[in-house]
Amino acid sequence: MSAHSYARLFDVIVAGGGVSGCAAAVSAARCGASVLVLEQNGYLGGTLTACGVGPMMTFHAGEKQVIAGFMQELVDELAARGYSPGHVLDTKQYTDTLTPFDAEGLKLILDEKLEEAGVCVLLHTFIGGVSREGDRVSGVTISNKDGLQTLAAKVFIDATGDGDVAAWAGAPMTKGRELDGAAQPMTMKLKYAGVDAKKLRAHVLANLSRFPAMREHADLLERDIPMDLEGFAEEVAAAKAAGELSIARENLLMFETGRPGEIILNTTRVIDHDSTDAMSLSDAERIGRRQAGELDAFVRKCIPGFENALLEFTGPSIGVRGSRQLVGLYTLTAEDILSRKPFKTAIAHSGYPIDIHNPKGEGTESTFLAERGSYYSIPYEIMVCEEIANLLVTGRCVSATFEAQASVRLSPSAGAMGQAAGAAAAQACAADGDVRAADVASLRDTLRAQSAYLD
Ligand SMILES: Cc1cc2nc3c(=O)[nH]c(=O)nc-3n(C[C@H](O)[C@H](O)[C@H](O)COP(=O)(O)OP(=O)(O)OC[C@H]3O[C@@H](n4cnc5c(N)ncnc54)[C@H](O)[C@@H]3O)c2cc1C
């Protein structure tokens, strides 16, 4: 594609190429819309490829698969090409299953899926401004190697995670928890190669009394499935007492990726920073890397199996769990999740618990749906606001309270919401572009035809 040939009127512009943006783009294109994705990184996948996050959690509620559609297509393709073992039992049984994957495989497959669907993708492109006329977004201003330009579309989908487009268009937004505006901590991931995972497992199995999170389902550690492992609290406490670790987390959380010897460490914790404030985000990256440096020295010295491991990379970017949320036609609450409130306008489901990493320090608070194997519904109205006719917001910045966002933000549900946003955008383009007036019954039919799970 020659320079500037993307500067034409698209039906749908998707801001952000994370899983929700990619799902939205493919879904809209498959419904017949012309689609442009704008992404600041040089690759797709967002948090899953740019922040070292994995595994995807969770497609299931008990034995029932409650997220399918585009996200399952990705898993099928990853598995078929050896980039994922598919859905496996969670060795910690925090969730029923988790889905390890190779981030390089995901980048490649997302490129292919968007290309096959005929989506135009513009990488290395940052959206820095939004223009609005009346109750419509009229354009987004981008910056890339072609300079500055403003692009127009009939419908815009904000899949930036931070809700950049919605916020700059003047949509009502909240940030952080109601109490004090604090967000969940950001985390700089570490990805290791060459971990002696056999030795690590053997150590855990031989010392189960010191691994309370792993005790109940220790038999799973003896099976040949990638590990979800939490523990080493005593070692962490000792390192903190010795002044070797300054991370506001009380133990280590790690995941095998499915590649032999590769492990992701989800343990650094940058608190009191804001990903929507440029300087604060910049500081968070540096603090995250400093914590990663401490952690690297610590695990190689203290954790069996890591002695000769190699830190492949940090990040590349710090991971953001939450920032701005849209104030939509409906705001999903913890009560809706825990009571499994039925919605006639459900466009996706999830069985993931409410999982809050303490915004102010150590500790993680998890609230599970009362019955193991149960799941909740996600209504269409959390992606739409009263004030703007042609804007959908999807992924982790949908309209949800701080607590509810701590569940819907996970990648399978972010992708499932994205798929719905894409189909809704295409539907609106075929009418007058007003997403507030969506025929959700017809949208649900379209999603079912796209193999999404809706009960
Ligand atoms: C530390 C951490 C651990 C996590 N652990 C798990 C886990 O184990 N399992 C799981 O399933 N989920 C996990 N999650 C959650 C999950 O990864 C994300 O919430 C989910 O992937 C979000 O997808 P998204 O598409 O909504 O947003 P993102 O993945 O954030 O994608 C947004 C995209 O928009 C782009 N973008 C943003 N602003 C602009 C702009 N102005 N211009 C252009 N492009 C822009 C970004 O570069 C990015 O590619 C974790 C998240 C974090 C941070």
Side-chain angles (χ1 to χ4, degrees):
M1 177 162 285
S2 64
H4 305 287
S5 59
Y6 52 83
R8 59 188 166 93
L9 181 70
F10 282 86
D11 291 327
V12 180
I13 284 184
V14 180
V19 277
S20 66
C22 289
V26 169
S27 172
R30 285 178 182 169
C31 291
S34 60
V35 184
L36 172 67
V37 172
L38 304 171
E39 167 56 49
Q40 65 182 337
N41 292 322
Y43 47 87
L44 301 168
T47 308
L48 295 186
T49 52
C51 308
V53 165
M56 299 182 223
M57 290 190 206
T58 177
F59 286 71
H60 287 83
E63 287 178 7
K64 192 177 179 67
Q65 183 163 350
V66 298
I67 295 177
F70 177 75
M71 291 305 288
Q72 181 58 40
E73 245 181 77
L74 288 182
V75 176
D76 288 343
E77 196 62 36
L78 286 161
R81 288 155 71 167
Y83 292 125
S84 168
H87 308 303
V88 300
L89 284 173
D90 177 357
T91 55
K92 207 171 79 188
Q93 283 296 287
Y94 182 77
T95 62
D96 296 287
T97 63
L98 38 79
T99 314
F101 63 94
D102 178 334
E104 291 308 311
L106 183 61
K107 284 182 192 170
L108 189 64
I109 288 167
L110 286 173
D111 277 347
E112 292 172 5
K113 287 277 173 203
L114 270 68
E115 196 176 337
E116 276 163 25
V119 173
C120 179
V121 178
L122 199 51
L123 301 173
H124 293 298
T125 297
F126 187 77
I127 300 159
V130 178
S131 33
R132 179 171 157 184
E133 283 170 21
D135 68 354
R136 300 216 173 207
V137 174
S138 51
V140 286
T141 300
I142 58 165
S143 158
N144 61 18
K145 283 291 186 181
D146 295 329
L148 288 175
Q149 283 166 92
T150 296
L151 306 178
K154 293 180 191 161
V155 174
F156 292 83
I157 299 178
D158 185 340
T160 61
D162 287 327
D164 286 358
V165 173
W168 295 335
M173 310 292 285
T174 59
K175 202 155 61 172
R177 58 184 180 186
E178 261 175 47
L179 173 71
D180 55 7
Q184 288 201 52
M186 296 186 222
T187 289
M188 179 67 80
K189 296 273 193 163
L190 289 81
K191 199 176 265 187
Y192 279 91
V195 179
D196 184 343
K198 234 173 153 178
K199 184 172 178 182
L200 178 59
R201 269 173 205 248
H203 174 84
V204 176
L205 285 168
N207 296 277
L208 273 177
S209 60
R210 294 178 46 219
F211 290 87
M214 309 306 297
R215 270 201 298 258
E216 207 181 325
H217 301 282
D219 57 310
L220 292 174
L221 284 178
E222 299 187 40
R223 290 171 53 175
D224 185 23
I225 42 180
M227 247 184 320
D228 165 4
L229 173 59
E230 185 172 5
F232 295 105
E234 288 166 30
E235 290 82 349
V236 167
K240 283 187 175 182
E244 292 166 5
L245 276 183
S246 64
I247 301 170
R249 185 175 173 113
E250 66 286 4
N251 60 13
L252 301 186
L253 177 60
M254 58 179 91
F255 300 91
E256 278 186 289
T257 65
R259 272 186 171 182
E262 191 174 75
I263 284 193
I264 295 171
L265 226 61
N266 180 344
T267 296
T268 69
R269 200 170 259 197
V270 180
I271 57 176
D272 290 329
H273 280 69
D274 177 356
S275 65
T276 67
D277 174 315
M279 187 50 82
S280 185
L281 178 60
S282 183
D283 287 344
E285 292 280 2
R286 288 184 293 107
I287 295 167
R289 253 190 305 280
R290 192 183 69 218
Q291 291 185 5
E294 289 176 7
L295 203 50
D296 183 41
F298 166 72
V299 295
R300 285 190 292 107
K301 181 171 132 197
C302 302
I303 305 302
F306 278 82
E307 298 85 349
N308 300 310
L310 184 73
L311 176 57
E312 277 183 299
F313 58 79
T314 57
S317 295
I318 197 158
V320 178
R321 290 189 172 83
S323 56
R324 297 191 192 102
Q325 305 301 136
L326 177 74
V327 179
L329 292 181
Y330 188 80
T331 297
L332 192 71
T333 67
E335 171 62 19
D336 296 337
I337 290 177
L338 298 175
S339 70
R340 304 179 53 222
K341 183 172 177 174
F343 290 99
K344 278 196 183 125
T345 55
I347 44 81
H349 301 285
S350 172
Y352 194 76
I354 294 174
D355 170 21
I356 302 177
H357 296 240
N358 183 357
K360 291 289 175 186
E362 292 186 356
T364 303
E365 191 187 318
S366 299
T367 312
F368 294 85
L369 278 76
E371 261 172 69
R372 191 89 199 189
S374 57
Y375 57 95
Y376 64 91
S377 298
I378 302 173
Y380 172 73
E381 292 84 352
I382 70 170
M383 303 195 295
V384 179
C385 66
E386 182 58 44
E387 292 75 3
I388 306 180
N390 64 340
L391 176 69
L392 284 142
V393 174
T394 187
R396 70 170 168 81
C397 47
V398 290
S399 180
T401 61
F402 174 75
E403 292 78 15
Q405 192 268 358
S407 176
V408 288
R409 72 184 176 88
L410 274 284
S411 62
S413 35
M417 292 188 286
Q419 182 171 351
Q427 198 179 69
C429 287
D432 63 354
D434 189 340
V435 298
R436 300 168 300 190
D439 174 351
V440 183
S442 154
L443 172 63
R444 282 164 51 87
D445 288 344
T446 305
L447 291 172
R448 283 200 188 91
Q450 289 183 346
S451 303
Y453 175 80
L454 289 176
D455 65 8

